[in-house]
Amino acid sequence: MPQQKRAKRSGTVKWPNLEDDLADWIKEQQGKGMAVSTVKIRFQAKFIAKQMNINDFKGGPCWCSRFMKRKNISILLIKKTFSVTDNMDETLLAFDCPPNRTVDETGAKTASVLTTGHERTSFTCVLACAANGDKLKPMIIFKRKTIPKRDFPNDVIICANENGWMCEIIMHEWLQKVWQCRKGSFFQPKRLLIMDSMHAHLLESVKTRCQNLSTTVAIIPGGLTKILQPLDLSGNKSFKAEVRKRWECWMSEGLHMHTKSGKMRRASYEEVAKWVVSAWKSVKSSSITAGFKEAEIVSLDKETVNQEDECDDLGDLDLDQDLL
């Protein structure tokens, strides 16, 4: 049987001036930041052909595919991305932060460490950071009914709760005083906020508030925070180590007050707030970004797709309508 012949359609360009003008138009649209689809290419090609009085030009999907090959143009799939990805987490701290290890003579079985006896008197610290290493203002939730009337630093938000933990009211306060006041919030409104599955994070009022702030919330399922929570992977450990350093310095060099019975009083609320602010500032940006990398929170902006399949899918569209 005679060998079948295939038409060589991609060799000779029938309308070189049209294709050159069309390629220049595509570059112009890209320079303006406009998305260019194969439908737009075929519309514009018909428009240029009409201006050049080319009557036999059809601009079908097969021609579009060959044109893109000749001009080295590919179709890219644009995925939804966010300007910055953030992570918020609550971590529990105590007024006494003694280390787990100390040195002693070889053979000693126990060693005593001086504390104020408030290892179980705790408070909550709310931390938030971005994948680029930026750190948001910390928040402290003390376990009491009212906010202490103290001279607190300006770089921390102070709240109070009988349970000393995050609740709906404090969550809204965090969104207002921390999230809305973050750096670049006006120019970069679209953000992805990653949080764990704590009850206060799942409330409908919180989700609605986040939507109004152009924030998409991603909830980490229970039991997976040690794998997917960037702060749990890196930031919290460095932060707690810095807080412990300041507690040890206060225990060894600070001015201490005692009760009538002679017991040492714990650190004051304002002293603890200073520890939190200083410790959070000391956490390196590289430590923050390392947590996001370890959690593999990455996003690909563009992905190349098969342009022939894309053009074939558009073959049934009616492009013969009036382009003017």
Side-chain angles (χ1 to χ4, degrees):
M1 295 180 64
Q3 186 178 2
Q4 294 182 353
K5 295 183 179 181
R6 299 179 61 183
K8 187 178 180 181
R9 299 181 179 179
S10 60
T12 305
V13 182
K14 189 174 182 180
W15 305 284
N17 294 333
L18 184 149
E19 293 193 3
D20 290 341
D21 291 349
L22 183 59
D24 293 338
W25 175 83
I26 293 174
K27 292 181 180 179
E28 181 182 352
Q29 296 300 308
Q30 291 174 341
K32 295 179 181 179
M34 303 296 293
V36 180
S37 64
T38 54
V39 175
K40 286 186 177 181
I41 291 176
R42 292 165 61 187
F43 267 116
Q44 185 65 19
K46 280 182 167 288
F47 178 74
I48 296 174
K50 193 171 184 178
Q51 288 183 327
M52 292 183 174
N53 296 322
I54 302 176
N55 299 323
D56 58 342
F57 178 77
K58 295 182 179 180
C62 294
W63 169 87
C64 181
S65 177
R66 294 193 299 271
F67 161 75
M68 294 174 65
K69 286 182 179 180
R70 287 191 289 267
K71 297 298 182 180
N72 195 25
I73 299 174
S74 301
I75 298 174
L76 299 178
L77 179 62
I78 301 177
K79 295 184 177 181
K80 183 179 179 181
T81 59
F82 302 90
S83 57
V84 181
T85 302
D86 301 82
N87 179 218
M88 186 269 269
D89 186 32
E90 298 88 356
T91 183
L92 200 64
L93 295 176
F95 283 88
D96 279 339
C97 312
N100 296 327
R101 295 179 177 86
T102 186
V103 296
D104 205 339
E105 294 182 0
T106 303
K109 296 183 179 180
T110 60
S112 59
V113 178
L114 179 64
T115 67
T116 64
H118 288 82
E119 294 90 345
R120 295 187 178 182
T121 306
S122 60
F123 60 93
T124 300
C125 189
V126 185
L127 303 177
C129 58
N132 58 8
D134 290 342
K135 292 172 286 187
L136 279 67
K137 184 181 294 187
M139 170 183 279
I140 299 176
I141 307 174
F142 289 118
K143 191 175 182 179
R144 48 178 293 153
K145 293 183 179 180
T146 59
I147 298 176
K149 295 181 180 180
R150 301 288 192 275
D151 187 16
F152 292 106
N154 295 326
D155 296 332
V156 64
I157 305 298
I158 305 297
C159 297
N161 183 287
E162 292 184 359
N163 298 322
W165 197 241
M166 180 65 76
C167 63
E168 182 177 6
I169 297 176
I170 297 180
M171 187 65 199
H172 281 281
E173 188 172 352
W174 182 86
L175 290 172
Q176 178 183 358
K177 295 184 178 180
V178 178
W179 185 245
Q180 282 187 255
C181 299
R182 68 187 184 275
K183 181 181 178 181
S185 60
F186 180 79
F187 299 100
Q188 297 178 346
K190 293 184 179 180
R191 306 276 282 235
L192 175 64
L193 180 60
I194 302 173
M195 299 185 290
D196 56 28
S197 56
M198 183 183 180
H199 176 69
H201 303 162
L202 304 176
L203 298 173
E204 289 298 327
S205 61
V206 174
K207 293 181 180 179
T208 303
R209 182 72 175 273
C210 290
Q211 290 177 356
N212 295 336
L213 297 175
S214 300
T215 301
T216 300
V217 176
I219 300 298
I220 301 175
L224 296 178
T225 54
K226 61 181 180 180
I227 302 175
L228 301 176
Q229 180 106 279
L231 279 170
D232 281 350
L233 293 173
S234 180
N236 286 345
K237 184 177 180 180
S238 301
F239 171 71
K240 290 182 177 180
E242 293 292 337
V243 172
R244 182 177 291 110
K245 288 180 183 179
R246 284 147 182 80
W247 175 83
E248 291 178 342
C249 182
W250 176 80
M251 285 294 298
S252 60
E253 302 176 2
L255 297 176
H256 303 284
M257 299 181 64
H258 297 77
T259 63
K260 293 181 180 180
S261 60
K263 293 183 179 180
M264 185 186 301
R265 294 185 182 274
R266 61 168 174 77
S268 62
Y269 291 113
E270 57 266 35
E271 188 71 30
V272 169
K274 292 178 182 178
W275 295 349
V276 170
V277 172
S278 178
W280 186 230
K281 288 182 178 179
S282 299
V283 176
K284 297 180 180 180
S285 298
S286 58
S287 178
I288 299 295
T289 56
F292 283 88
K293 291 179 181 179
E294 188 174 351
E296 297 184 358
I297 300 178
V298 295
S299 60
L300 298 177
D301 294 338
K302 298 178 180 179
E303 180 179 308
T304 305
V305 298
N306 191 320
Q307 63 188 37
E308 292 184 356
D309 294 341
E310 179 76 8
C311 289
D312 291 342
D313 292 339
L314 301 173
D316 296 334
L317 293 177
D318 183 13
L319 301 180
D320 294 330
Q321 54 183 305
D322 189 4
L323 299 173
L324 298 177

